[in-house]
Amino acid sequence: MTSTPLPAANGAPSGRKARDLGLHMGSMPNGPHNAITDVAGVRVGHTTLISGDGPLVQGSGPVRTGVTVVIPGEEPWRQPLFAAPHRLNGNGEMTGLELIRESGQLTSYIGLTNTHSVGVVRDALVAHEVGLQPAGKEYWSLPVVAETWDGALNDLNGFHVKPEHVFAAIDSAHGGHVAEGSVGSGTGMVAHGFKGGIGTASRVVNTHDGGFTVGVLVQANHGRRDRFSIDGTLIGPRITLPSDAETGGSEVPDARFATGFPEGSGSIIVIVATDAPLLPHQCARLAQRATLGIARLGGAGENGSGDLALCFSTGGGIPPTFSGSAAPVTYPVTALSNDRIDPLFYAAIEATEEAIVNAMLASDTMVGINGAIRYALPHDQVRHLLGITETR
């Protein structure tokens, strides 16, 4: 197998986002990087694992997987952020949610990986946090780690993700442009029958409504090709792929090599960040609206899908946490008026919709286990079907 080209280097624009193709979804402007990192203080790091080709040999490969870490702010275990989750369909996993529901606070980095690597990523995040504490300090952590299944392309049961890959993703985390597509935890993912992966986008509300930024990062591994729409136009069934004669246009998980999972089996993780001062119940409302962005493209939260969203706010003003009697009895917070929250809803919807498309546009065709192929979403056909004649 010839190695597929990797996405743009960290910090460099890919030139492969929807807006680079002349596709402008929604009506709101994006931030300077059109990424979750447009929310000040948010950083993203990846470790991408690609090796081997040919028949699946469990424990040896081929390997098409990785780790992505979203850092919501410096030391969130000491400086928590208001946060809340939302479940569209629960055939998936995101650890740490019970503590977030109970406290309304995010107190860890956010790890993303494949289904069977959740445990090792969680343990590595705990070890990283413990390593930053003073010697002898008693410490506990319940970090957030989410997954989607990459077994159509990856030796999932080979357990190739190791703690050092998590540490490397943390060390590489940065602001600015975020690498998308088949990178990090998105390496082996499939979306709407095409190659999926990591995608990100942002929206900025107007100054009259506060000028706040909403950034979204998705791990897209969901959906059906026959329902795939962009900007209100059904295009999935109208796209031609080299495999169509053999598969009949059924690409999820893999008509030739999978073991009977129906189309629509898959998952999507959505991480929503905003600098708007939101309370936990308002974060829950934004996380819920993000799922409308999934729906705009044809996602339906099918029975076999794990569709989970988490929203956090960097603008809540929670003071640094101190234990026991050292904690303040009360502290003041600033909160957005519910009467002014609609623009943030629209921003979350639009950014989620575009992040999914960005994940697909940034992904190249990939060959995985047993020669299984996942084809890239063809840019030329997308532009033709949507009537786009000029790029920006």
Side-chain angles (χ1 to χ4, degrees), residues 8 43 88 99 108 123 179 279 373:
R43 295 183 286 137
L88 177 61
L99 176 60
S108 75
D123 290 351
L279 298 176
I373 302 173

Short mmCIF file of all heavy atoms in Angstrom, two decimals, residues 8 43 88 99 108 123 179 279 373:
data_model
loop_
_atom_site.label_atom_id
_atom_site.label_comp_id
_atom_site.label_asym_id
_atom_site.label_seq_id
_atom_site.Cartn_x
_atom_site.Cartn_y
_atom_site.Cartn_z
N ALA A 8 -2.16 18.59 6.77
CA ALA A 8 -1.19 19.66 6.92
C ALA A 8 -0.52 19.61 8.29
O ALA A 8 -1.11 19.17 9.27
CB ALA A 8 -1.88 21.00 6.73
N ARG A 43 -6.52 24.50 23.13
CA ARG A 43 -5.47 23.93 22.30
C ARG A 43 -5.83 22.50 21.91
O ARG A 43 -6.60 21.84 22.61
CB ARG A 43 -4.13 23.94 23.05
CG ARG A 43 -3.61 25.33 23.34
CD ARG A 43 -2.24 25.28 24.01
NE ARG A 43 -2.33 24.84 25.41
CZ ARG A 43 -1.50 23.98 25.97
NH1 ARG A 43 -0.54 23.40 25.25
NH2 ARG A 43 -1.64 23.65 27.24
N LEU A 88 -27.42 12.37 22.06
CA LEU A 88 -28.39 12.14 21.00
C LEU A 88 -28.75 10.67 20.94
O LEU A 88 -29.93 10.30 20.90
CB LEU A 88 -27.83 12.62 19.65
CG LEU A 88 -28.71 12.39 18.42
CD1 LEU A 88 -30.04 13.12 18.55
CD2 LEU A 88 -27.98 12.81 17.15
N LEU A 99 -19.64 13.08 36.81
CA LEU A 99 -19.12 14.18 37.62
C LEU A 99 -19.49 15.53 37.01
O LEU A 99 -19.83 16.48 37.73
CB LEU A 99 -17.59 14.07 37.74
CG LEU A 99 -16.91 15.21 38.49
CD1 LEU A 99 -17.42 15.31 39.92
CD2 LEU A 99 -15.40 15.04 38.46
N SER A 108 -10.81 18.44 33.54
CA SER A 108 -9.74 17.66 32.93
C SER A 108 -9.56 18.05 31.47
O SER A 108 -10.39 18.75 30.89
CB SER A 108 -10.06 16.15 33.00
OG SER A 108 -11.04 15.79 32.04
N ASP A 123 -6.30 6.45 31.65
CA ASP A 123 -5.24 6.24 32.64
C ASP A 123 -4.06 7.18 32.38
O ASP A 123 -3.44 7.69 33.32
CB ASP A 123 -4.77 4.79 32.60
CG ASP A 123 -5.82 3.82 33.15
OD1 ASP A 123 -6.83 4.30 33.71
OD2 ASP A 123 -5.62 2.60 33.01
N ALA A 179 -4.93 20.53 12.55
CA ALA A 179 -4.91 19.50 11.52
C ALA A 179 -6.21 18.72 11.56
O ALA A 179 -6.72 18.38 12.63
CB ALA A 179 -3.72 18.57 11.72
N LEU A 279 -23.66 29.32 32.22
CA LEU A 279 -23.83 28.42 33.35
C LEU A 279 -24.02 26.99 32.83
O LEU A 279 -24.28 26.78 31.64
CB LEU A 279 -25.03 28.86 34.18
CG LEU A 279 -24.91 30.26 34.81
CD1 LEU A 279 -26.21 30.63 35.54
CD2 LEU A 279 -23.72 30.34 35.74
N ILE A 373 -11.07 -0.37 1.72
CA ILE A 373 -10.84 0.99 1.25
C ILE A 373 -11.97 1.90 1.70
O ILE A 373 -13.14 1.54 1.60
CB ILE A 373 -10.74 1.04 -0.29
CG1 ILE A 373 -9.62 0.13 -0.79
CG2 ILE A 373 -10.51 2.47 -0.77
CD1 ILE A 373 -9.57 0.00 -2.30
#
